Amino acid sequence: MLEQRRTGSEIDETERHQIIQEYLSGNKSKAEIWYKYTGQTEEHGQILRWMRMYGYSDKPKKINFAPVMNKNK
């Protein structure tokens, strides 16, 4: 059985919120979640557009701080 492909415009508002919540609460990428719901491999920034439209904030970026060596000592 072939997977049915869907576009972003075919996804209703309730499911859009579900997609956003899954992205924000999990460890999956936007592309992985997009594929799960649409069968498409390219997400093209649609989830971020929905997040902005509905007032969500994106996940905080992980910043790795390396220790700074003082060369004067």
Side-chain angles (χ1 to χ4, degrees):
M1 181 171 121
L2 293 175
E3 278 190 46
Q4 182 178 3
R5 292 186 145 206
R6 298 168 61 192
T7 64
S9 62
E10 295 174 301
I11 298 173
D12 67 22
E13 186 174 342
T14 301
E15 196 168 17
R16 290 176 184 186
H17 285 285
Q18 183 179 349
I19 289 168
I20 293 167
Q21 289 294 329
E22 185 171 339
Y23 167 65
L24 292 174
S25 66
N27 292 322
K28 291 184 179 178
S29 69
K30 290 176 190 154
E32 290 171 313
I33 293 168
W34 188 252
Y35 183 77
K36 174 183 172 181
Y37 285 89
T38 67
Q40 297 177 11
T41 57
E42 296 291 327
E43 183 257 337
H44 299 289
Q46 186 62 58
I47 295 173
L48 182 57
R49 281 192 290 280
W50 290 342
M51 289 172 67
R52 289 175 178 158
M53 182 170 71
Y54 297 122
Y56 288 88
S57 294
D58 200 1
K59 287 182 183 179
K61 302 246 189 275
K62 292 181 182 177
I63 300 173
N64 295 324
F65 291 102
V68 177
M69 301 298 289
N70 188 346
K71 294 182 180 182
N72 295 332
K73 290 186 177 184

